[in-house]
Every structure is written in structure tokens, then in C-alpha cells.
């Protein structure tokens, strides 16, 4: 994704957030300030009639009215969260010899691997460039994005992968043989370079996804009951590793796999919303609070605890910038429901 396009998407999200805030400010004015202004005008009229006595009475009267209205209209403060910031561009690269490189702090722009390939830092990620191959042996590297991070990579064949927070991609530094195979854990958006002679295969814990040239999103976090494969363009064949069942997807379709009972459901979705995370947006389209907090916990690197199981089932809709501070996120969720949040040592307690 070019920086200009990402900035444009983020600006749209910020404009939406400002609109929400303006609405909230107007509601606050109508509820608190406007009644005070009306009372003040009545007091000024009375002052003209009883000017002499108003010099003593008016200050006390105004103070009494102010505190009376304030006491009735005051809204409990929202959750207070200390310095929990959104995710940043960060990742570590694990080489074939298990040496680790922190990419966001790597000073050199280029890194030459033992196998001959060059890794170049560019924009928000790294680019692999094939060197002179002297062996057909497949050498793997691994890109690891922690909680509170995101990163993208261009593989040796030109395929580009955006990795979301708490995700991993294991890949050959150079593709050899009759296929291109990578291993994904977590969430990634993959724009595959077309090569009709060598299919591109994405292996997750539960599925094998086979394509030629296409763009799709894979959500496959270990420990979660559901995995999702969403097709943006082209076509993919998704195979359940345990049952052997295969499903073909067309653009605009999403395959939902229930890891517990192996149920597979194909549904039509808005791909732009499903993949909005890579363009700097959170899109909560009828998702439960539990689903939302899972995403936020990875992005902001926090732990979530529920005092009430019922809170997990509350459903929300809306679009928000991924780069908003955490306080803003929680405030908006609180204003649109009965849910309440408190924070201590990066542990978020949820109650209703």
C-alpha cells in the first residue's frame, strides 16, 4: 500500500471520528450549557428591575443555580487509561541460522544473507531480492510481528504480505521448484504475484489455501474457534486439513471454518471492510464486544478481563481509525452502550 493511499484512508477515518466528537459536543451543550444560558438571561432581566438588591443576591443565586444544574447533569467520568498507544511498525526477522534482527531498529538499509539474497528496508516493510542461487535447497526465514505491531514484506517472487499484530509468516528466501509455499499464523493480507507454472500455497494450522495470482485475507489465530478466508480478487481453493473437504471461493466471498465442529460456511461480504485493517481502519460490522476486544488487545497490547459474561455478547457497529489512542476507543464504546471499562497495569476490566 502506497503511503499516500494509507494517509487518505486514515484521513477519512479521522474525519468520521471528528464528526462523532462534534455530535457529542453538541449533545453536551444542549444538556448542560444551554439551560445555564437561559437561566442567565432571566437573571439579567431580573437585575434590571431590582438592581440595588441584585448586587448582593445575584452572585449567590447564580452560584446556586450553577451547582444545582451541574449536580443533576453531571455524567460519570469515562474510563481512564494511562499511556496505552496504538500499534507501530515493528517486527523481527528470524534467519535460517536462528539469528534475529529487529527490523524497526536496523540501521543498515540493506542486508545480504548467507544464501545470497538481499533484504532491503523500504517504506513500512522489507523487500527480498533474489541473488545468484548456487543451491536448490530451500532456506526459510520467519517474520514475526508482536502484539502492538504491524509490518509488510515483499517476497522473492514479488508477492506482498501485510501482517497484522500478533502474526507470523514463515517463507523461503527464494522460491524454487514447482510451487511457492508459505506458513501463516495470525492474520495477513496477501497479494500474490501471478505465476501460472507455480501455484502459491498458504498453510495455516487448520487449512491449506491454493492460488495462482490473487489477493485475499486470512484470519487464523491459534486458540480461536473461527478462521476466515476472504477473497478480494482472483480465485482460491481452500482445503480443510482434517476433513479433506475443499471449497472454491470467488471475489467478494468469505469462508468461515469452525475449528470445533469443522463446519464450513461461505458467505458474501464487503471485502473493503473485512480487509480495512491494512489501510488503517477498524471496521466493527455487527461484531460482539468479545470479538472487538480481541482485536484491540492485540493492537494495543493489553489484556482483557470480563466481570460479566453478558458483556461479551454486546454487538457494535462502526468505523474507527486504528491509530486512535486507546482512551478514544474505550470512550466511544462506553458512550454507545452500557459497558464500562477500567484499566490497571495494562489489564482492561469490562463490566456492565
Amino acid at each position: 500500500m502506497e503511503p499516500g493511499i494509507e494517509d487518505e484512508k486514515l484521513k477519512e477515518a479521522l474525519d468520521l471520528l471528528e464528526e462523532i466528537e462534534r455530535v457529542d459536543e453538541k449533545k453536551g451543550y444542549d444538556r448542560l450549557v444551554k439551560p445555564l444560558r437561559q437561566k442567565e438571561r432571566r437573571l439579567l432581566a431580573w437585575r434590571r428591575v431590582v438592581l440595588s438588591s441584585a448586587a448582593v443576591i445575584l452572585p449567590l443565586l447564580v452560584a446556586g443555580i450553577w451547582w444545582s444544574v451541574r449536580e443533576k447533569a453531571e455524567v460519570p467520568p469515562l474510563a481512564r487509561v494511562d499511556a496505552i498507544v496504538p500499534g507501530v511498525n515493528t517486527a523481527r526477522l528470524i534467519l535460517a541460522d536462528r539469528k534475529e534482527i529487529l527490523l524497526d531498529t536496523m540501521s543498515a538499509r540493506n542486508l545480504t544473507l548467507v544464501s545470497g539474497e538481499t533484504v532491503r528496508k523500504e517504506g513500512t516493510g522489507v523487500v527480498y531480492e533474489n541473488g545468484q542461487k548456487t543451491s536448490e535447497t530451500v532456506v526459510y526465514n520467519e517474520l514475526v510481528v508482536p502484539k502492538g505491531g504491524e509490518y509488510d514484506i515483499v517476497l522473492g517472487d514479488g508477492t506482498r504480505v501485510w501482517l497484522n499484530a500478533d502474526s507470523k509468516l514463515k517463507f523461503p528466501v527464494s522460491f524454487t521448484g514447482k510451487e511457492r509455499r508459505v506458513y501463516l499464523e495470525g492474520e495477513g493480507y496477501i497479494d500474490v504475484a501471478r505465476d501460472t507454472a507455480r501455484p502459491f500455497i498458504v498453510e495455516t494450522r487448520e487449512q491449506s489455501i491454493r492460488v495462482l495470482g490473487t489477493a485475499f485475507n486470512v484470519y487464523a489465530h491459534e486458540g480461536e474457534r473461527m478462521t476466515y478466508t476472504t477473497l478480494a480478487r482472483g480465485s482460491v481453493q481452500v482445503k480443510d486439513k482434517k476433513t479433506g473437504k475443499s471449497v472454491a471461493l470467488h471475489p467478494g466471498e468469505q469462508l468461515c471454518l469452525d475449528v470445533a465442529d469443522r463446519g464450513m460456511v461461505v458467505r458474501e461480504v464487503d471485502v473493503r471492510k473485512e480487509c480495512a485493517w491494512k489501510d488503517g481502519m477498524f471496521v466493527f460490522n455487527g461484531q460482539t464486544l468479545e470479538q472487538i476486544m480481541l482485536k484491540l488487545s492485540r493492537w494495543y497490547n493489553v489484556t482483557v478481563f470480563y466481570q460479566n459474561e453478558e458483556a461479551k455478547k454486546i454487538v457494535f457497529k462502526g468505523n474507527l481509525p486504528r491509530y486512535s489512542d486507546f482512551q478514544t476507543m474505550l470512550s466511544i464504546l462506553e458512550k454507545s452502550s452500557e459497558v464500562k471499562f477500567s484499566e490497571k497495569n495494562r489489564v482492561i476490566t469490562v463490566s456492565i
Side-chain angles (χ1 to χ4, degrees):
M1 176 65 64
E2 294 296 327
I5 297 176
E6 183 172 335
D7 292 342
E8 181 180 339
K9 292 290 186 180
L10 181 57
K11 183 179 183 302
E12 292 177 3
L14 289 171
D15 289 343
L16 173 64
L17 183 58
E18 289 174 1
E19 182 178 344
I20 293 173
E21 291 173 342
R22 284 196 297 271
V23 171
D24 290 338
E25 289 173 0
K26 183 180 185 306
K27 288 180 179 178
Y29 177 89
D30 290 342
R31 188 176 66 250
L32 298 175
V33 181
K34 190 175 180 180
L36 293 176
R37 294 289 186 240
Q38 292 173 342
K39 290 179 180 292
E40 184 180 2
R41 282 193 288 271
R42 288 198 295 269
L43 288 171
L44 289 174
W46 177 252
R47 183 175 182 272
R48 296 189 188 99
V49 178
V50 287
L51 185 60
S52 58
S53 59
V56 177
I57 299 173
L58 186 56
L60 298 176
L61 185 58
V62 171
I65 294 174
W66 166 253
W67 286 109
S68 175
V69 173
R70 182 180 178 184
E71 183 177 356
K72 293 178 182 178
E74 188 170 352
V75 178
L78 297 171
R80 298 196 178 276
V81 181
D82 297 326
I84 297 180
V85 297
V88 296
N89 196 238
T90 181
R92 56 191 172 95
L93 184 65
I94 304 177
L95 305 180
D97 60 3
R98 307 312 296 172
K99 178 182 178 181
E100 296 191 10
I101 300 173
L102 298 178
L103 294 174
D104 46 314
T105 60
M106 187 176 79
S107 57
R109 298 295 300 177
N110 297 310
L111 172 68
T112 301
L113 305 180
V114 175
S115 53
E117 289 77 11
T118 298
V119 181
R120 185 179 78 253
K121 289 186 70 173
E122 183 177 284
T124 58
V126 291
V127 177
Y128 270 66
E129 296 177 339
N130 291 337
Q132 296 296 322
K133 293 294 296 180
T134 59
S135 172
E136 292 299 312
T137 303
V138 179
V139 177
Y140 285 94
N141 284 182
E142 187 173 5
L143 184 65
V144 180
V145 179
K147 289 185 176 181
E150 62 180 349
Y151 219 78
D152 63 86
I153 180 173
V154 177
L155 304 179
D157 67 335
T159 292
R160 189 168 187 176
V161 182
W162 288 262
L163 286 182
N164 206 347
D166 196 20
S167 300
K168 302 176 184 179
L169 181 73
K170 181 180 177 182
F171 57 94
V173 296
S174 181
F175 292 101
T176 60
K178 298 181 179 180
E179 65 181 25
R180 299 167 290 167
R181 189 182 300 267
V182 300
Y183 302 84
L184 173 68
E185 179 182 322
E187 184 171 17
Y189 182 91
I190 306 170
D191 193 343
V192 179
R194 187 169 182 80
D195 185 344
T196 56
R198 298 185 301 168
F200 194 96
I201 302 170
V202 179
E203 301 282 2
T204 70
R205 183 182 180 89
E206 305 292 340
Q207 297 174 317
S208 180
I209 305 166
R210 186 183 183 91
V211 304
L212 293 175
T214 185
F216 59 103
N217 194 80
V218 180
Y219 182 95
H221 280 283
E222 185 175 355
E224 291 194 28
R225 177 164 179 166
M226 301 297 298
T227 68
Y228 303 92
T229 304
T230 308
L231 183 60
R233 70 169 189 271
S235 63
V236 299
Q237 190 80 21
V238 185
K239 181 180 179 180
D240 184 337
K241 289 184 174 181
K242 292 189 176 180
T243 66
K245 182 179 179 181
S246 294
V247 174
L249 292 182
H250 301 94
E253 291 183 339
Q254 180 182 76
L255 173 64
C256 312
L257 169 66
D258 189 318
V259 175
D261 62 17
R262 315 312 296 184
M264 301 174 75
V265 176
V266 176
R267 62 184 182 183
E268 292 186 357
V269 296
D270 185 333
V271 174
R272 182 182 59 85
K273 292 181 179 180
E274 295 295 325
C275 305
W277 65 268
K278 77 177 185 66
D279 297 323
M281 295 274 291
F282 276 119
V283 176
F284 304 137
N285 189 23
Q287 294 181 329
T288 65
L289 182 61
E290 183 177 24
Q291 291 173 316
I292 292 171
M293 294 307 293
L294 268 174
K295 294 181 179 180
L296 295 184
S297 67
R298 293 191 183 103
W299 183 234
Y300 291 95
N301 191 19
V302 297
T303 301
V304 180
F305 172 75
Y306 294 89
Q307 284 190 338
N308 314 91
E309 286 295 314
E310 296 80 4
K312 296 180 179 181
K313 302 175 183 178
I314 299 175
V315 176
F316 292 88
K317 291 184 179 180
N319 305 339
L320 294 171
R322 268 165 62 93
Y323 302 101
S324 297
D325 64 83
F326 197 48
Q327 175 66 51
T328 299
M329 291 289 186
L330 297 188
S331 296
I332 292 175
L333 291 175
E334 285 190 345
K335 290 177 182 179
S336 58
S337 71
E338 297 300 317
V339 69
K340 299 296 178 185
F341 301 96
S342 61
E343 182 271 339
K344 184 177 181 180
N345 299 327
R346 304 190 74 87
V347 176
I348 309 302
T349 300
V350 185
S351 61
I352 53 176

